Amino acid sequence: MDNIILIAVAAVVGLAIGFAIAKMMEKGKASKTIANAKKEAADIIKEAKKEGESIKKDKIFQAKEKFLELKAEHEKVIINKDKKIGEAEKRTRDKESQVSSELAKNKKLNDQLQERIKEVAYKSDILDKKQSEVEKLHKSQVQQLEVISGLSAEDAKAQLLESLKETAKSDAMAYLQNTLEEAKLTAQQEARKIVVNTIQRIGTEEAVENCVSVFNLESDDVKGRIIGREGRNIRALESATGVEIIVDDTPEAIILSCFDSVRREVARLSLHRLVTDGRIHPARIEEVVKKTEKQINEEIAEIGKRTVIDLGIHGLHPELIKAVGRMKYRSSYGQNLLQHSREVAKLCGVMAAELGLNPKIAKRAGLLHDIGKVPMAEVEVETPHAILGMQWAQKYGEKEEVCNAIGAHHDEIEMTTLISPIVQVCDAISGARPGARRQVLDSYIQRLKDLEDIAFGFNGVQKAYAIQAGRELRVIVESEKVNDDKAAELSFEISQKIQTDMTYPGQVKVTVIRETRSVNVAK
């Protein structure tokens, strides 16, 4: 037991001694570590100071270099500014010297001007004095002339003016006549050449359209089927098409009468389908008429497309193309409207090319000039066709020169482009050529009578004859009342009166004939 205690005590003492020895050793190591750390810190601080000094020197050196660069640049800027200031001062000195010289010159000129003003004022006073003397002398001379002639100055002046008026009027008419003759020698030949060449290059057709169509039948037995029981079929057909159907004693034929060519064509094609099919009754008639109308509308659009393609016209609005197609089924004085418009378009294209204008615009205006004759609604019928056509062209985006040519081709608005008179002339050429139109005899005779009446409205006219189908007016005057100069004046005045008061195709030539006869009898 005692041994164990001794061992334990010895172990505790050994542990305590070991712990103390360990502490002492650890303390020695710590002191040594701290000393090493301090030494390393001192070395690091020393190195840092060295490096800081080096960086400081570098930065100071860089700052000095930067300062020197900035200083050099600043000196350059100052030098440039000094140079510019010097140049500006030089220019200012030059301007000052120039202004000084100009002022000296102006002063000299001002002095000269003052001298001239004084001189002019002096001469003006002299002229005023001489003018007053001349006026006094003139008055005395006029008084002497009045005493000698027995007329006052006003009466003499009136007689002189009247004499001068007659002389001037006669000279003016003679000059006008000579000028017109000279213009005709140069301009008329060229104009005739252009018109004749244009007409010769265009093919023409005769007027063949009318207000009735004849539907041929294979036999008269079909007539009864077309009429139907108690006339129901024919009434249904007339109601659906708006065409009067005349069934008379004409063998193997039925007459379709209507002013509208489109309706007549619808009725003719519908009849052809019904007769071919054999089923003719009111319900079938309505069905066939609707199909035929649709077919005609498609055909109208196709005709319009083919027409514009043939004429080389591009970009036309679809509604205007339809209007062009509808012209095939309209006529004017027996002349087919589409054929007339195609003819006018070709004439316009050729004439515009001859005159150095745009032929495409001219052909476009020529084709569309009569689209107002195929109104799209009944309310549009009352509007003149030229104005209506111009409104359509404006609505569907046509150019201003095309719209003006359409609206002005009957002088209902003012012409503003060179295309407008070309369209008017070509329209007259197409309508006035022989065989183009069929005119009613009464209106033709009335036009000739109106021409003669215009001539009889002037003093001195003895006889007047409208000849060559109204294209020439021959006027015979009384030689005692109308002299040669007055005859030329009368011809001009009659032509102007015809232009303003009448509407006519082409042109009217006015010929005034003055005949002087000297008769003696030998006894």
Side-chain angles (χ1 to χ4, degrees):
M1 186 69 178
D2 292 334
N3 291 332
I4 294 171
I5 292 170
L6 287 174
I7 293 170
V9 171
V12 170
V13 172
L15 287 171
I17 292 171
F19 181 75
I21 293 170
K23 278 288 185 181
M24 290 177 67
M25 290 178 68
E26 184 177 357
K27 186 176 181 181
K29 285 182 180 180
S31 298
K32 189 176 180 180
T33 301
I34 290 170
N36 291 332
K38 285 182 179 180
K39 185 179 180 182
E40 289 178 1
D43 294 339
I44 290 170
I45 291 170
K46 188 178 180 181
E47 290 294 328
K49 285 181 179 181
K50 288 181 180 180
E51 188 175 353
E53 289 295 330
S54 176
I55 292 172
K56 182 179 178 182
K57 289 179 180 179
D58 291 340
K59 292 296 182 182
I60 291 171
F61 181 73
Q62 291 177 2
K64 287 181 179 180
E65 286 184 346
K66 188 67 175 180
F67 173 74
L68 291 174
E69 289 178 1
L70 292 174
K71 184 179 178 181
E73 291 179 1
H74 182 66
E75 288 177 352
K76 287 182 180 178
V77 171
I78 291 173
I79 292 170
N80 289 333
K81 286 185 177 180
D82 292 341
K83 185 178 180 182
K84 289 182 180 178
I85 290 170
E87 292 176 354
E89 290 177 351
K90 183 181 179 182
R91 288 197 298 268
T92 303
R93 288 194 298 272
D94 294 341
K95 288 288 183 182
E96 288 177 353
S97 62
Q98 185 177 357
V99 169
S100 299
S101 63
E102 289 292 334
L103 287 174
K105 188 183 295 184
N106 287 337
K107 185 177 179 182
K108 184 177 180 181
L109 291 174
N110 190 29
D111 295 339
Q112 293 177 355
L113 181 63
Q114 293 297 330
E115 293 178 359
R116 292 297 300 273
I117 289 173
K118 291 179 181 178
E119 184 179 353
V120 170
Y122 175 73
K123 290 183 178 180
S124 178
D125 293 338
I126 295 175
L127 287 175
D128 290 340
K129 292 179 181 178
K130 289 186 177 181
Q131 181 69 26
S132 61
E133 294 176 359
V134 169
E135 288 179 355
K136 291 179 182 178
L137 182 61
H138 176 69
K139 287 181 180 179
S140 63
Q141 289 178 349
V142 169
Q143 290 174 357
Q144 292 177 4
L145 287 174
E146 288 178 353
V147 172
I148 295 172
S149 63
L151 293 173
S152 66
E154 294 298 327
D155 294 338
K157 187 186 294 184
Q159 290 183 5
L160 180 61
L161 285 175
E162 188 64 29
S163 176
L164 289 174
K165 280 182 182 178
E166 292 296 328
T167 304
K169 190 173 182 180
S170 177
D171 292 344
M173 288 307 303
Y175 177 76
L176 178 62
Q177 189 67 25
N178 292 334
T179 305
L180 289 174
E181 291 297 331
E182 290 177 3
K184 287 178 181 178
L185 291 175
T186 56
Q188 192 173 11
Q189 291 181 356
E190 189 64 24
R192 283 179 177 175
K193 179 182 176 182
I194 292 174
V195 172
V196 170
N197 289 341
T198 303
I199 294 173
Q200 287 178 344
R201 292 166 64 179
I202 304 299
T204 58
E205 294 184 2
E206 300 295 320
V208 295
E209 298 293 325
N210 49 37
C211 292
V212 296
S213 297
V214 179
F215 182 73
N216 297 314
L217 302 172
E218 294 181 358
S219 65
D220 289 338
D221 297 338
V222 183
K223 288 184 179 181
R225 294 166 56 193
I226 292 174
I227 295 171
R229 183 178 298 176
E230 297 177 357
R232 286 186 300 176
N233 291 346
I234 196 169
R235 284 198 301 271
L237 191 57
E238 288 180 342
S239 176
T241 60
V243 175
E244 183 182 0
I245 300 175
I246 302 172
V247 181
D248 54 13
D249 296 336
T250 305
E252 299 181 355
I254 291 177
I255 297 175
L256 308 177
S257 176
C258 180
F259 71 93
D260 192 333
S261 302
V262 177
R263 295 180 188 173
R264 290 205 314 272
E265 185 66 11
V266 170
R268 188 185 69 81
L269 291 177
S270 300
L271 266 177
H272 178 73
R273 288 185 175 184
L274 290 168
V275 171
T276 303
D277 184 55
R279 294 176 294 169
I280 306 176
H281 53 81
R284 177 64 177 165
I285 288 172
E286 292 180 0
E287 178 185 354
V288 170
V289 169
K290 288 182 180 179
K291 290 182 179 179
T292 306
E293 287 177 347
K294 182 179 180 182
Q295 177 188 346
I296 289 294
N297 289 332
E298 293 175 353
E299 184 179 346
I300 284 173
E302 185 63 27
I303 290 170
K305 291 179 183 178
R306 287 202 305 268
T307 300
V308 297
I309 290 172
D310 290 345
L311 294 175
I313 297 173
H314 305 287
L316 204 62
H317 194 277
E319 290 298 327
L320 294 180
I321 292 176
K322 290 180 183 178
V324 171
R326 281 199 299 274
M327 287 195 292
K328 179 184 178 181
Y329 299 100
R330 293 299 298 269
S331 60
S332 177
Y333 295 99
Q335 186 179 25
N336 182 268
L337 195 57
L338 179 59
Q339 181 61 33
H340 166 66
S341 298
R342 288 173 62 100
E343 186 176 321
V344 172
K346 293 178 181 178
L347 288 168
C348 289
V350 175
M351 192 170 291
E354 291 284 345
L355 296 175
L357 302 175
N358 190 337
K360 292 184 178 179
I361 297 294
K363 288 169 73 175
R364 197 181 193 97
L367 178 65
L368 299 177
H369 80 284
D370 269 348
I371 57 172
K373 289 185 177 180
V374 285
M376 300 179 184
E378 293 296 332
V379 294
E380 296 177 335
V381 176
E382 298 179 359
T383 306
H385 76 274
I387 302 299
L388 182 59
M390 180 184 68
Q391 293 173 355
W392 286 357
Q394 291 172 342
K395 178 180 178 182
Y396 295 119
E398 288 299 317
K399 293 183 179 179
E400 180 60 30
E401 48 192 336
V402 176
C403 298
N404 181 258
I406 296 172
H409 78 276
H410 284 315
D411 292 323
E412 288 172 326
I413 64 171
E414 183 180 358
M415 296 183 180
T416 58
T417 64
L418 292 175
I419 299 296
S420 301
I422 291 178
V423 172
Q424 186 182 52
V425 168
C426 294
D427 180 41
I429 291 173
S430 176
R433 63 177 175 79
R437 294 182 172 181
R438 291 199 311 273
Q439 294 185 348
V440 180
L441 181 61
D442 294 340
S443 63
Y444 170 72
I445 294 175
Q446 184 63 38
R447 183 163 67 86
L448 299 184
K449 187 175 182 301
D450 291 341
L451 272 175
E452 295 177 354
D453 290 342
I454 286 178
F456 283 120
F458 290 86
N459 293 328
V461 176
Q462 184 177 8
K463 296 177 182 179
Y465 302 104
I467 61 177
Q468 293 187 7
R471 289 176 175 80
E472 181 177 353
L473 180 63
R474 191 160 294 178
V475 181
I476 301 175
V477 297
E478 299 178 15
S479 59
E480 296 82 5
K481 295 182 179 180
V482 180
N483 56 24
D484 290 339
D485 295 335
K486 183 66 177 176
E489 180 182 351
L490 183 63
S491 174
F492 177 76
E493 291 176 353
I494 292 174
S495 65
Q496 295 300 309
K497 182 73 171 175
I498 293 172
Q499 287 183 13
T500 55
D501 293 357
M502 290 191 64
T503 301
Y504 51 90
Q507 59 184 15
V508 178
K509 180 182 178 182
V510 179
T511 303
V512 175
I513 301 173
R514 177 179 178 270
E515 182 182 14
T516 304
R517 294 187 182 184
S518 299
V519 180
N520 289 299
V521 179
K523 296 182 180 179

